[in-house]
């Protein structure tokens, strides 16, 4: 049974000449049971505002609307898809707004009424998935403008998002995600579910922001994880040298063994490193000032 009385997605694609463009990461989902499963992963939608990135021919958009979202704001770069979505907008009057634009350049907070928080659901274009996620996790102010993110990534990227210390995929993305949010892989989607099929398996990841992450400067956290994972197999007393402070003292202050490697340090450990690094640099700058003025 169809979720709405709109034409099958194959007809939409044919009628609007939506040949998939690799440059826009276009791998479309045509099975409305699958798009409904993705939309349901986000939780209750009725009465809520959903932001969708890259609606394409509208398979996921239709599922989100059928599940009762009050308002869907869909951002799409491809003008051909924007035209194809007009029929969906007409079927759900006043509920679907399609913006032709680049999701990387979008001011999401400006799309919402003050204090409103959106649910984000997207089958992301693979070429911009990671930068989009990093931008959303770096939102300022925090808590962010979204209540949750339900996103399709390549399986390998999904593993880098949810990895724990000691996992092969543990790195900067897992530390940023773990600091600001809780994330898990909801389910995998085989290449055969997409048109055209990508080369690899995909995964739907569900991410819920922490209301109060451990206190830490984002820039400092980025800097220490960049240094640590830049030489992930080296001991931290060596890999952190580019931070320009006494690495032995830094690691001791953060309560981490100098022989430890980045791939085994917890999110809490990196937050401690970032905070101690800021404190040491501040103390160093104060000393410079007092030497200069004496
Ligand atoms: N949601 C549709 C589906 O599941 O069938 C399409 C998903 S397809 C993987 C990614 C979509 O994102 C495409 O429609 C593509 O045109 C769009 N897109 C690519 N880059 C974009 C960007 N920077 N901003 C907004 N949309 C983009």
């Amino acid at each position: 049974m169809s979720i709405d009385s709109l034409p099958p997605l194959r007809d939409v694609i044919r009628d609007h000449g939506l040949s998939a463009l690799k440059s826009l990461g276009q791998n479309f989902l045509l099975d409305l049971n699958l798009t409904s499963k993705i939309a349901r992963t986000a939780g209750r939608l009725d009465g809520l505002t959903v932001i969708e990135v890259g609606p394409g021919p509208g398979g996921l958009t239709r599922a989100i609307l059928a599940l009762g979202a009050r308002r869907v704001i869909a951002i799409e770069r491809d003008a051909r898809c924007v035209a194809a979505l007009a029929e969906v907008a007409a079927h759900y009057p006043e509920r679907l707004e399609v913006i032709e634009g680049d999701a990387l350049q979008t001011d999401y907070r400006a799309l919402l009424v003050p204090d409103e928080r959106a649910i984000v659901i997207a089958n992301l274009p693979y070429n911009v998935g990671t930068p989009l996620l990093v931008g959303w996790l770096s939102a300022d102010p925090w808590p962010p403008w979204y209540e949750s993110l339900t996103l399709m990534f390549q399986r390998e990227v999904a593993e880098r998002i949810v990895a724990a210390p000691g996992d092969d995929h543990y790195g900067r993305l897992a530390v940023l995600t773990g600091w600001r949010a809780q994330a898990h892989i909801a389910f995998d989607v085989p290449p055969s579910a997409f048109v055209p099929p990508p080369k690899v398996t995909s995964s739907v990841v569900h991410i819920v922001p922490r209301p109060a992450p451990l206190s830490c400067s984002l820039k400092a956290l980025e800097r220490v994880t960049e240094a640590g994972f830049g030489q992930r197999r080296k001991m931290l007393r060596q890999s952190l040298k580019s931070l320009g402070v006494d690495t032995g003292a830094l690691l001791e202050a953060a309560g981490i063994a100098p022989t430890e490697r980045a791939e085994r340090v917890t999110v809490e450990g990196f937050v401690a490193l970032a905070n101690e690094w800021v404190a040491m640099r501040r103390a160093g700058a104060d000393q410079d000032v007092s030497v200069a003025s004496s």
Side-chain angles (χ1 to χ4, degrees), residues 24-29 52 54-56 75-77 101-103 123 125:
L24 286 177
Q26 292 184 336
N27 299 97
F28 301 135
L29 293 172
E52 185 191 4
I75 301 150
E76 173 60 61
R77 262 186 80 179
D102 184 346
N123 170 16

Side-chain angles (χ1 to χ4, degrees), residues 47-49 51 70-71 107-119 141-148:
L48 299 178
T49 295
I51 291 185
R70 182 177 58 83
R71 183 177 172 224
D107 178 355
Y108 293 92
R109 215 173 262 276
L111 299 175
L112 305 169
V113 298
D115 297 328
E116 185 185 21
R117 292 178 80 206
I119 307 282
W142 196 268
W145 49 268
Y146 53 86
E147 261 177 46
S148 66

Side-chain angles (χ1 to χ4, degrees), residues 63-266:
I64 294 165
L65 286 161
L67 284 170
R70 182 177 58 83
R71 183 177 172 224
V72 178
I73 307 169
I75 301 150
E76 173 60 61
R77 262 186 80 179
D78 187 344
R80 300 173 310 164
C81 297
V82 176
L85 289 160
E87 209 170 341
V88 183
H91 189 81
Y92 293 99
E94 312 274 304
R95 289 173 58 197
L96 172 61
E97 181 185 348
V98 183
I99 298 174
E100 186 177 339
D102 184 346
L104 283 169
Q105 307 295 333
T106 300
D107 178 355
Y108 293 92
R109 215 173 262 276
L111 299 175
L112 305 169
V113 298
D115 297 328
E116 185 185 21
R117 292 178 80 206
I119 307 282
V120 180
I121 306 176
N123 170 16
L124 289 176
Y126 290 141
N127 38 355
V128 294
T130 308
L132 274 174
L133 176 63
V134 168
W136 292 338
L137 290 171
S138 304
D140 183 28
W142 196 268
W145 49 268
Y146 53 86
E147 261 177 46
S148 66
L149 309 169
T150 300
L151 307 171
M152 176 98 74
F153 291 96
Q154 289 171 294
R155 172 84 201 179
E156 186 267 339
V157 177
E159 282 173 348
R160 288 202 285 120
I161 294 166
V162 305
D167 291 352
D168 285 349
H169 289 86
Y170 187 62
R172 297 178 65 190
L173 189 56
V175 174
L176 175 63
T177 308
W179 171 47
R180 283 211 143 162
Q182 286 182 300
H184 75 275
I185 294 179
F187 57 93
D188 288 342
V189 181
S192 58
F194 300 84
V195 175
K199 288 203 173 63
V200 295
T201 296
S202 301
S203 302
V204 173
V205 182
H206 185 62
I207 300 172
V208 179
R210 295 183 194 279
L214 293 170
S215 174
C216 177
S217 139
L218 170 63
K219 283 211 165 3
L221 187 65
E222 281 172 349
R223 191 70 188 78
V224 295
T225 53
E226 185 188 6
F229 288 107
Q231 299 176 299
R232 58 186 295 136
R233 304 274 172 225
K234 289 206 169 141
M235 293 180 192
L236 286 169
R237 67 173 173 225
Q238 181 65 29
S239 60
L240 297 185
K241 277 195 170 146
S242 62
L243 294 177
V245 297
D246 176 343
T247 51
L250 172 63
L251 286 159
E252 189 178 348
I256 298 171
T259 51
E260 196 56 284
R261 290 171 170 80
E263 57 198 10
R264 286 172 32 91
V265 176
T266 60

Side-chain angles (χ1 to χ4, degrees), residues 46-63:
D46 49 302
L48 299 178
T49 295
V50 174
I51 291 185
E52 185 191 4
V53 168
L60 188 51
T61 320
R62 284 163 60 167

